[in-house]
Amino acid sequence: MASNDSPPPLYEIDDDRAAFAIRLPVHAGAHATREVTTEVTTEVRRVVAAMNGELSRQELQRLLGLANPDHFRKAYLLPALASGMLEMTLPEAPRSSKQRYRLTAAGQRVKERL
């Protein structure tokens, strides 16, 4: 990753250490292009549609009307992050109490189509 000036990988692990997500950001310089084809699940679509600005995990979970935080994290939050629709505001501190989530440019495009 460092050899092509890409940011370092981002790791997120659930509290039970039963699921994890690894995000590999790509350096998109003038000479680099990338095409991403992502199937957006129903759960990810719901997350994208609910996003407005920067929200905490609890705020987003409440907006979606989901009570179980483990289910929310595994079925909604981690897939939304892995698909590139959502990003952390503090990627260097994924467990921070100040962590918020926001739509990426790709997530914003999907939201406009919904």
Side-chain angles (χ1 to χ4, degrees):
M1 300 290 291
S3 67
N4 71 358
D5 294 326
S6 291
L10 304 172
Y11 302 94
E12 183 162 326
I13 302 170
D14 70 347
D15 293 335
D16 298 328
R17 297 181 183 245
F20 65 92
I22 301 172
R23 296 182 63 214
L24 302 172
V26 177
H27 172 68
H31 63 282
T33 60
R34 67 181 178 145
E35 183 177 323
V36 177
T37 305
T38 304
E39 179 182 331
V40 180
T41 65
T42 302
E43 292 83 2
V44 172
R45 271 192 222 108
R46 286 190 62 203
V47 169
V48 168
M51 286 302 296
N52 188 13
E54 296 179 354
L55 299 172
S56 69
R57 181 197 53 81
Q58 296 90 342
E59 291 168 329
L60 184 53
Q61 183 178 329
R62 192 172 30 252
L63 278 173
L64 295 173
L66 299 169
N68 186 311
D70 289 332
H71 173 70
F72 169 74
R73 190 176 305 107
K74 291 173 188 171
Y76 291 80
L77 186 59
L78 292 177
L81 289 164
S83 70
M85 300 291 126
L86 208 61
E87 66 184 1
M88 293 181 261
T89 58
L90 302 170
E92 68 285 351
R95 295 180 162 282
S96 171
S97 62
K98 296 181 182 356
Q99 184 64 260
R100 300 289 179 266
Y101 300 91
R102 64 180 166 230
L103 290 176
T104 62
Q108 189 61 46
R109 287 191 298 273
V110 168
K111 183 171 183 165
E112 290 168 2
R113 285 183 276 171
L114 292 178

